[in-house]
Amino acid sequence: MKLNSTVALTLVLLVLMLGAGLVSGMWGFALGHEALKGVSQPDARPTAKTKNYKETPAGTQPLVMLKEADIIKSVNVRKQGKGKQAKADKNDEASEKRTKSLSPSESTPSTATNAVFPIVSKDKGVTLEIRSVQQQQDTLLLDVSLKNEGDQPVKFLYSFLDVTDNRGRPLSASAEGLPGELPPNGESFSGTVSIPTSVLEGADRLSLTLTDYPDQQLRLQTSEIPVR
């Protein structure tokens, strides 16, 4: 009996498809088996569950039970600390109320009232004087003078002028009219140091420091300069 060519071709294709499926299945199994090497099945035995439950997980600390006596002692210490802090706050509040209740004649005069000008600083024959302080619009002006009674000229770079308030905050300041080199002839040179009032919020007194440039061998420092 002769086979039809179409039937024969169909059978050949089916055989090829089955062969290709079998080869691809075996190849996929081999790849999966190779990829899963080293992976073991989790231990699901009841005894293993109990053992793992008792062990501390990695990266965590074991639970530590505090003693009741230690807890009571810690609470008492915190109570004592809070009591002392509350007492200190009450004392501060009472002191503030007493200060506010003082009449103008009993209150302490301001720094500006007690300030005595000029405020002078001397070092190595060089004298810095703060003669007066006045406010013009939005600028605080310090009237200053410099003189050199030594035997060598002294150079200054006023961009290094250091001005701070009574809280230790650095303030921006600029000097005008002061010489860059101070000759040793004892002549007094006057100028001004300008400070914007916008940076003086909460400040009562100023400190001013000036050193020579570049040697920085002398240090002229004044403090307790009143703002008001």
Side-chain angles (χ1 to χ4, degrees):
M1 182 178 65
K2 295 182 179 179
L3 294 176
N4 191 348
S5 59
T6 304
V7 175
L9 182 59
T10 302
L11 292 174
V12 171
L13 290 175
L14 287 174
V15 172
L16 292 176
M17 290 175 63
L18 290 174
L22 180 61
V23 172
S24 62
M26 294 178 64
W27 186 40
F29 177 79
L31 291 177
H33 185 270
E34 185 70 21
L36 292 177
K37 279 185 178 180
V39 179
S40 60
Q41 182 179 2
D43 192 353
R45 293 175 296 173
T47 56
K49 288 183 180 180
T50 305
K51 182 179 178 180
N52 293 334
Y53 177 78
K54 293 181 179 179
E55 292 180 352
T56 302
T60 61
Q61 297 180 351
L63 179 63
V64 179
M65 301 301 293
L66 298 177
K67 296 182 180 179
E68 182 179 358
D70 294 339
I71 296 175
I72 295 175
K73 183 178 179 180
S74 177
V75 171
N76 290 333
V77 171
R78 291 188 180 183
K79 285 183 177 180
Q80 292 177 1
K82 289 182 179 179
K84 292 180 180 179
Q85 182 65 31
K87 186 176 180 180
D89 293 341
K90 288 181 179 179
N91 292 336
D92 293 341
E93 184 178 356
S95 177
E96 184 178 357
K97 288 181 179 179
R98 286 196 300 269
T99 303
K100 290 182 179 179
S101 63
L102 291 175
S103 62
S105 60
E106 295 174 339
S107 60
T108 304
S110 64
T111 308
T113 304
N114 291 338
V116 178
F117 288 100
I119 302 175
V120 181
S121 176
K122 294 183 179 181
D123 189 18
K124 293 181 175 57
V126 180
T127 303
L128 169 67
E129 292 186 2
I130 310 295
R131 295 176 175 176
S132 65
V133 175
Q134 59 179 338
Q135 183 174 339
Q136 292 185 358
Q137 296 180 354
D138 57 351
T139 304
L140 187 72
L141 298 178
L142 279 63
D143 183 14
V144 303
S145 67
L146 284 169
K147 65 178 178 180
N148 182 6
E149 297 175 323
D151 54 0
Q152 296 290 334
V154 180
K155 294 182 179 180
F156 293 103
L157 191 61
Y158 297 102
S159 58
F160 289 166
L161 181 67
D162 184 19
V163 180
T164 58
D165 63 6
N166 54 295
R167 299 183 179 181
R169 298 177 301 180
L171 307 177
S172 60
S174 59
E176 297 179 0
L178 297 174
E181 182 173 333
L182 198 61
N185 55 9
E187 181 182 356
S188 180
F189 295 87
S190 300
T192 58
V193 175
S194 305
I195 304 172
T197 56
S198 58
V199 301
L200 296 175
E201 183 178 357
D204 297 326
R205 298 174 304 279
L206 303 179
S207 297
L208 186 148
T209 304
L210 180 64
T211 60
D212 62 318
Y213 180 84
D215 299 332
Q216 297 185 358
Q217 296 297 319
L218 65 87
R219 182 181 180 87
L220 301 171
Q221 185 172 11
T222 59
S223 59
E224 301 298 320
I225 304 172
V227 174
R228 301 176 181 85

